[in-house]
Amino acid sequence: MKKRLLSGIQPTGKMHLGNFFGAVHNWVTLQQEYDAYYFVADLHALTSAYEDGVNIHESTLEVVADLIASGVDPNKATLFVQSDIPEHSELHLIFSMITPLPWLERVPTYKSKKEEIQGKDLNTYGFLGYPVLQAADIMLYRSDIVPVGKDQSYHIELTREIVRRFNALFKTDYFKEPTERFTSFPQLPGTDGRKMSKSYGNALYMSESDIEIDQKLRTMFTDPARLRRQDKGNPDICPVFALQGIFNPDLLQELSDGCKSAGIGCVDCKKKLIPVVQSFIGPIRDKREVLLQNKSAIEDVLQTGAEKARRVAKETLDAVKSIIKIK
Ligand code: TRP
């Protein structure tokens, strides 16, 4: 039997290169080898977007188009939407009964996101419980492996703690502790050199046209000390060089030597990057556009995924209810 693997993505907007290399690239590779479950975490999005009046369903369809266009294959993996499976909410509630508050208050993403997102009231029960919902997502499918970005490691650790507590309290070994699986790619810098993120406005999206890619990369930050063409650069601190590592691994030595000796300028370096990024994003962009022209076909894919996911989810929840003796 194949091992079970699960991961989720929030529908907080279009997918960008940081999302792709941070997680989705791994999803595509791992769907071959594992019994993979991939879902859009629309309820998680609600924990911070509840005041925004955004259409989460629309964003969900867009993310699904992004995922399929990027290589997630609904015939190999089970692709579904979290809120289509009510058992996520039920298991979340049950886990919330046994999760001590201090475990949640010390979650690093809880503290940092609260500080990062200004002007939103994140002082809610739901937002504090974000990682409990994530633990429910993972254990509902009794997942062995969870491919995520490094920023999620504490959430997986917390999932293991909840599993241990559940098993101890109810004298069972029903749940097995899951393991995280990180991507091999380092965190991607955005056009301003900070971590690529929608909220920083520095991201390159899968929906970007060739012209937009060209403009964004042409003006992307480089080594700040390299002001003139004749200045020698330091590729180790240059965000463009970090992208070269992903898109032009074979040219890395040559570009590094050229930069350090001022043999090439930043414009020359970027000229080697731009067409490669364009030909990487191009086919994904075109495919996502075609998919989005037929939203009912996307809904059909999601319904098939939900039916399959629900069978597993129901099995787990039936077992859990009997273990905790409410059934
Ligand atoms: N918290 C994850 C993120 O922001 C998304 C997510 C929700 C998730 N539930 C999950 C990831 C379960 C892995 C497993 O990226």
Side-chain angles (χ1 to χ4, degrees), residues 6-10 39 41 44 130 134 137-138 146 148 152 155:
L6 168 130
S7 196
I9 186 167
Q10 282 199 53
F39 70 97
H44 274 107
Y130 182 111
Q134 185 160 347
D137 297 336
I138 296 168
V146 190
V148 281
Q152 296 293 309
H155 291 173

Side-chain angles (χ1 to χ4, degrees), residues 5 15 20 23-33 36 38 66-73 76-77 147:
L5 174 144
M15 192 196 288
F20 180 83
V24 178
H25 175 270
N26 231 0
W27 292 20
V28 176
T29 316
L30 295 167
Q31 68 188 353
Q32 312 287 352
E33 213 182 312
Y38 298 137
D66 273 322
L67 290 172
I68 297 174
S70 304
V72 172
D73 181 350
K76 291 197 179 117

Side-chain angles (χ1 to χ4, degrees), residues 194-250:
R194 293 187 289 174
K195 165 191 169 193
M196 189 179 288
S197 156
K198 180 193 162 205
S199 45
Y200 291 150
N202 64 1
L204 277 156
Y205 292 91
M206 298 312 204
S207 56
E208 221 94 63
S209 71
D210 283 354
I211 295 171
E212 288 165 326
I213 296 168
D214 185 81
Q215 279 166 350
K216 287 193 174 179
L217 291 178
R218 227 179 248 268
T219 52
M220 181 161 174
F221 280 35
T222 56
D223 169 4
R226 194 173 184 198
L227 296 172
R228 286 170 301 260
R229 167 68 182 79
Q230 64 270 28
D231 294 338
K232 291 178 177 160
N234 178 2
D236 296 338
I237 58 159
C238 174
V240 171
F241 191 73
L243 293 187
Q244 298 283 22
I246 289 176
F247 289 100
N248 276 324
D250 299 341

